[in-house]
Structure formats: C-alpha cells, structure tokens
Amino acid sequence: MTSKDTEPKKRIVLAEPRGFCAGVERAVGMVERALELHGPPVYVRKQIIHNQYVVDGLQNRGVVFVDSEEEVPEGAVCVFSAHGVAPEVRRNAASRELQVIDATCPLVSKVHQEAKRFATAGDTILLIGHSDHEEVEGTVGEAPEHIVVVESEEDARTLELPEGAALSYLTQTTLSIDETAGIVGILEERFPQLRGPRSDDICYASSNRQNAVKALTACTDVVLVVGSANSSNSQRMVDVARSYGTPAHLVDNAAELDPEWLGGARTVGVSSGASAPEVLVEGLLERLRQLGYGDVDTLTTTKEDITFAMPGSLA
C-alpha cells in the first residue's frame, strides 16, 4: 500500500439548512411574477435581495434596478426590495402613481410594526444594527425622531440618554446572535428599564444558518460561505465561524475560491447565506471536487418548513 493510499480522504461537509430563506424565495418570486403579468421593464428599488448572481439574472430578463423610487417613470411597476422601505418612500411612490409591489420580508415588516408601537408609547428606541444597511434605513424611517442606532458593544457602553427615559430595543433581522446578545446585555445592565420586542427580531433563517456554521466548525478545518459581499447574513456566518476558531471565507461564486485557503485542510465546511441560490453552491462543490475533495457529507442541524405567501394581487 502506498503512502497516498493511507492518507485521509479530502472531504466536504455541507451544512443544512443553507441558502434561500422564505422571505428571499417570496421576494424573487414576486419579481418573476411581475415580469409575467406586466412584461418588462419592471423596476426594482435597490437590489431585490443582496446577491449579484440573482440581480444579474433578473436584469437579463428585463428588470431595471434603481437606487430611488424617483428614478422610476411615473405610473410604472415598482417593486420594493425584501429589506423594506421607509414611509417617505411609500409617499414618494404614491405621488408618482407607481404600481407598487411590496416584497418586504414579513419578518422585517414585523420590526417596522414594533418600531411604530414603541414610538407611539413614547419610547426612545435603540435599534441594534448597521446604520448603512437598507433594512435599518427603512426601520429608522418609521420613527426617526425616536430611534437611535446602536452598532456595537462600544456604542452600547458609551450611549448617553436622559436618566429614567422610557427605552425599548429592536434589532436588524440578519445580525450575529452572539454579538447581538452581548450588546443587549450591556444595554440591559446600563438601563434596567429597557424592554425588548415581543419575540426575537433576528430571523429564523439567520439563526439557523449561524447555528449550522457553529456545528461545521467542530468537524472541519476551514469553512466557506457562499454569498455576496453586501449580504449581511452571509457575512455574519463567516464572523461566527471565525469566532469559534475556524478559518472562514466568503465567496460570491466558485471563481472567487483561493486554493491557498485550503492549504493543509482535509475537511472543508460549506454553507450559503439566505440570499444565495443553490446553483452557486453546486458550482463551489464542483470546484472543490477538482481540487481533490471528492466525498460530500451533509450535516443537518434543523429542518425548515416556513413559507410566506405572495399577495393576492400577484396570484
């Protein structure tokens, strides 16, 4: 027997669940249905989801992505992205008589409703999230005079508020579970009167994919997450893997894989963010097979069966 025969096989461990969540499936499906009903061009405000492959594919079918509803011709079909929009955007769209199709994820809409409820009660709302993310921009727009964005534990430690102020907190849906818990812990220690949402704002898909990555770190040498650079939930998966001591990298597609990342790795963990289509995972697996990772095992941490219905107007 040669020494090569005695070497452990290179293998892949594929996380489950991974990839498209219910909100992403619904949003992309709504754009596709709008194309069927209205024909091109269909305008979409911002990227419908944060994945370049999906955006490019829709553009090729006649979707026009714009940064502002004000760029959409009056009376045209305009889809709001899965990340949600501020009320001002809705007012602008109405003034231009746009045919609005709202693809906001229902879990983001829940956070918007919570923001309005807390604001009506007179609370100062501490919104944990990234200020430049579209989801946060939309939530802030619901009650800008009431909301303070908290981006980090340092922000939580240094935040200055009037003594005895009525306080509540909300979170962006795609954050790191562990990092968010740390921020909330600091805020609760500093402000005992702080109250939170009725249920966790971090969405089921972000939580499930992060937990799956944690499981991958226990049995792999390196973790690869398929997702675009502007995908918050995909970035958080990479952060989680690294926080558990496993090297991790974000790849938009197989072409971005640097073989040097795999130096000495016998087992590679693979997952994908909630906005990454499975075809990109398949491309990465094929590239890994070319590099000698022939065996693929699946590691399942939970099963997902959540779906969100499209609005009746698109039936």
Side-chain angles (χ1 to χ4, degrees):
M1 181 179 292
T2 67
S3 59
K4 185 174 182 179
D5 293 329
T6 61
E7 289 180 4
K9 287 185 177 180
K10 290 182 176 182
R11 54 193 283 269
I12 298 165
V13 180
L14 189 59
E16 177 66 38
R18 65 181 180 277
F20 275 9
C21 63
V24 164
E25 290 272 13
R26 175 178 179 269
V28 174
M30 288 173 72
V31 176
E32 292 174 336
R33 183 62 177 148
L35 281 171
E36 293 173 5
L37 290 175
H38 301 284
V42 165
Y43 293 85
V44 177
R45 185 185 183 277
K46 306 291 187 180
Q47 291 190 349
I48 184 65
I49 61 170
H50 285 158
N51 184 268
Q52 196 59 50
Y53 177 89
V54 172
V55 167
D56 290 345
L58 291 171
Q59 279 182 323
N60 290 337
R61 295 171 60 184
V63 174
V64 179
F65 292 93
V66 296
D67 286 329
S68 169
E69 67 285 354
E70 295 179 0
E71 299 174 48
V72 181
E74 291 193 9
V77 175
C78 179
V79 182
F80 293 158
S81 81
H83 309 103
V85 299
E88 182 182 5
V89 173
R90 299 182 187 279
R91 290 191 291 269
N92 289 343
S95 71
R96 299 180 63 78
E97 299 184 343
L98 302 183
Q99 300 178 60
V100 169
I101 297 171
D102 188 358
T104 301
C105 174
L107 300 180
V108 174
S109 296
K110 164 185 170 289
V111 179
H112 283 223
Q113 294 303 315
E114 290 168 338
K116 289 190 282 189
R117 177 169 62 88
F118 283 141
T120 299
D123 287 12
T124 294
I125 303 165
L126 307 181
L127 176 58
I128 301 169
H130 305 289
S131 59
D132 60 349
H133 193 279
E134 289 154 33
E135 181 186 327
V136 170
E137 292 172 359
T139 304
V140 169
E142 293 288 357
E145 68 282 3
H146 286 267
I147 294 178
V148 177
V149 178
V150 179
E151 297 198 76
S152 65
E153 291 189 0
E154 181 61 22
D155 283 354
R157 292 190 189 96
T158 58
L159 183 66
E160 294 186 7
L161 295 168
E163 188 173 347
L167 299 176
S168 53
Y169 78 86
L170 299 170
T171 78
Q172 184 179 330
T173 62
T174 54
L175 298 180
S176 160
I177 305 165
D178 297 337
E179 184 179 355
T180 302
I183 294 172
V184 171
I186 293 168
L187 292 173
E188 288 178 332
E189 184 176 345
R190 292 192 62 208
F191 308 108
Q193 74 274 33
L194 183 71
R195 57 177 178 161
R198 290 172 178 164
S199 61
D200 193 359
D201 286 338
I202 296 177
C203 81
Y204 78 93
S206 294
S207 298
N208 288 347
R209 280 148 191 74
Q210 289 173 38
N211 288 332
V213 164
K214 290 176 185 178
L216 281 183
T217 64
C219 60
T220 62
D221 301 309
V222 62
V223 170
L224 303 175
V225 177
V226 178
S228 291
N230 62 340
S231 167
S232 176
N233 80 87
S234 301
Q235 290 279 11
R236 299 296 78 76
M237 292 165 68
V238 173
D239 294 344
V240 165
R242 290 173 178 169
S243 73
Y244 274 68
T246 300
H249 305 276
L250 183 69
V251 292
D252 209 349
N253 52 60
E256 290 192 354
L257 174 63
D258 184 345
E260 292 189 5
W261 295 341
L262 310 178
R266 306 305 305 180
T267 305
V268 176
V270 173
S271 189
S272 56
S275 48
E278 187 65 10
V279 64
L280 297 179
V281 175
E282 293 168 357
L284 179 61
L285 295 180
E286 177 57 33
R287 177 66 180 127
L288 287 169
R289 277 191 284 269
Q290 295 170 2
L291 295 171
Y293 295 86
D295 294 342
V296 179
D297 298 320
T298 299
L299 177 62
T300 302
T301 50
T302 191
K303 293 286 188 181
E304 291 181 348
D305 57 5
I306 294 174
T307 58
F308 295 137
M310 285 194 197
S313 61
L314 294 178

